[in-house]
């Protein structure tokens, strides 16, 4: 059974990358009309969305991390918690508006309930988790959703350094008592603790309209 799953899960993820879902005719016609819009094949749209998704999620990650490091340096982990709870969402929202792409961070062990996975995101997170536990590398994934007009780009988020543990590690051992009580007061249903370096923390999830990809050309 284990061997079968080992084979099956990457196969599902890989299959999900294929251009098997067709773009609807309305969107295809709309995006291709006009002199400026260059005609792109389904495969090119998927490929470009993959590159764009990578660059947007990197930009979002860098912005969050730069601000978080600054807040921790200035106010310590406890003080920086308010930064995360107040500022993480607006930073992500601003980038979403800038690019016309819905950007989210999601996790099955979320701190903020709003970051729990949707039905579309859950199976991908589950596969990432399986891969992480079995030493299989987690590549970014892209698949068509919403009738084929939107691409869902996802990329794993890993607990990369001990820095994360001050707020996501083991209570008392990694998370100081003062920080812990502030987490409890801000998030009554926090699931984002007990992580270790190297664990899968969640994933970036970007809804990229195919139309937005084509209009960039
Ligand atoms: C100063 C404390 C602090 C540190 C350090 C920290 N986080 Fe968080 N993290 C938070 C808080 C608070 C939230 C909830 C933010 C919100 O309400 O949207 C959060 C949310 C998240 C989420 C969104 C999913 C969820 O649980 O709601 C991810 C993913 C995440 N953190 C990853 C990381 C990673 C990776 C690191 C290390 C590079 C890190 N965090 C370091 C406090 C922290």
């Amino acid at each position: 059974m284990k061997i079968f799953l080992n084979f099956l899960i990457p196969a599902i993820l890989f299959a999900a990358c294929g251009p098997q879902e067709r773009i609807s005719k309305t969107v295809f016609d709309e995006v291709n009309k006009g002199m400026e819009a260059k005609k792109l094949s389904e495969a090119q749209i998927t490929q470009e969305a993959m590159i764009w998704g990578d660059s947007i999620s990197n930009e979002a990650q860098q912005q969050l991390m730069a601000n978080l490091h600054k807040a921790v340096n200035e106010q310590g982990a406890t003080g920086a918690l308010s930064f995360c709870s107040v500022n993480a969402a607006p930073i992500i929202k601003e980038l979403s508006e800038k690019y016309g792409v819905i950007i989210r961070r999601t996790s099955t062990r979320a701190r903020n309930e709003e970051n729990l996975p949707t039905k579309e995101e859950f199976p991908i997170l589950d596969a990432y988790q399986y891969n992480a536990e079995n030493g299989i590398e987690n590549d970014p994934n892209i698949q068509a959703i919403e009738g084929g007009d939107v691409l869902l780009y996802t990329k794993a988020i890993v607990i990369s350094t001990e820095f994360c543990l001050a707020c996501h590690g083991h209570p008392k051992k990694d998370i100081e008592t003062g920080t812990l009580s502030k987490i409890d007061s801000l998030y009554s249903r926090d699931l984002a603790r007990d992580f270790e370096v190297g664990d899968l923390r969640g994933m970036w999830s970007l809804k990229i309209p195919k139309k937005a990809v084509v209009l960039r050309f």
Side-chain angles (χ1 to χ4, degrees):
M1 187 60 189
K2 203 161 179 201
I3 293 164
F4 174 62
L5 272 176
N6 252 327
F7 169 73
L8 183 68
I9 289 179
I12 292 171
L13 277 179
F14 183 72
C17 299
Q20 74 277 29
E21 294 211 39
R22 294 199 58 79
I23 191 168
S24 81
K25 191 171 179 322
T26 333
V27 169
F28 196 77
D29 289 347
E30 202 180 325
V31 294
N32 279 319
K33 78 174 174 221
M35 294 300 286
E36 308 92 321
K38 194 176 154 192
K39 293 208 178 200
L40 293 179
S41 69
E42 281 290 312
Q44 282 171 316
I45 293 174
T46 307
Q47 200 184 348
E48 289 304 327
M50 188 63 136
I51 296 168
W52 202 26
D54 243 359
S55 112
I56 296 175
S57 55
N58 283 342
E59 184 178 347
Q61 177 82 19
Q62 276 161 14
Q63 283 207 17
L64 279 185
M65 282 307 126
N67 284 291
L68 181 58
H69 276 278
K70 190 165 171 275
V72 171
N73 285 341
E74 285 169 4
Q75 311 160 39
T78 314
L81 275 173
S82 316
F83 162 81
C84 295
S85 65
V86 177
N87 295 321
I91 289 175
I92 294 173
K93 190 163 171 263
E94 204 183 306
L95 282 173
S96 294
E97 281 162 9
K98 177 172 159 194
Y99 293 115
V101 162
I102 299 171
I103 309 170
R104 257 164 66 75
R105 289 185 305 170
T106 176
S107 172
T108 48
R109 288 164 66 185
R111 175 148 291 166
N112 186 333
E113 281 177 282
E114 286 179 17
N115 297 331
L116 284 167
T118 61
K119 271 192 199 141
E120 282 153 346
E121 291 164 336
F122 183 80
I124 306 170
L125 263 177
D126 207 32
Y128 279 166
Q129 185 62 39
Y130 178 87
N131 288 347
E133 283 169 12
N134 290 279
I136 303 164
E137 202 175 325
N138 269 323
D139 292 326
N141 185 60
I142 199 151
Q143 63 191 58
I145 54 166
E146 295 178 13
D149 294 342
V150 175
L151 291 166
L152 179 65
Y153 167 94
T154 55
K155 184 163 75 182
I157 301 174
V158 173
I159 295 280
S160 49
T161 70
E162 288 191 0
F163 171 76
C164 315
L165 301 183
C167 301
H168 296 299
H170 298 287
K172 300 209 170 86
K173 181 173 154 254
D174 306 308
I175 310 178
E176 285 177 11
T177 321
T179 311
L180 194 60
S181 49
K182 188 149 181 206
I183 293 173
D184 288 338
S185 71
L186 288 169
Y187 304 94
S188 56
R189 280 186 245 169
D190 175 43
L191 300 172
R193 52 182 74 179
D194 291 316
F195 284 97
E196 289 176 9
V197 172
D199 284 352
L200 181 78
R201 175 67 187 85
M203 68 179 191
W204 285 102
S205 164
L206 276 62
K207 279 188 183 179
I208 309 180
K210 286 184 178 171
K211 190 175 163 181
V213 177
V214 177
L215 290 176
R216 293 179 71 227
F217 285 84

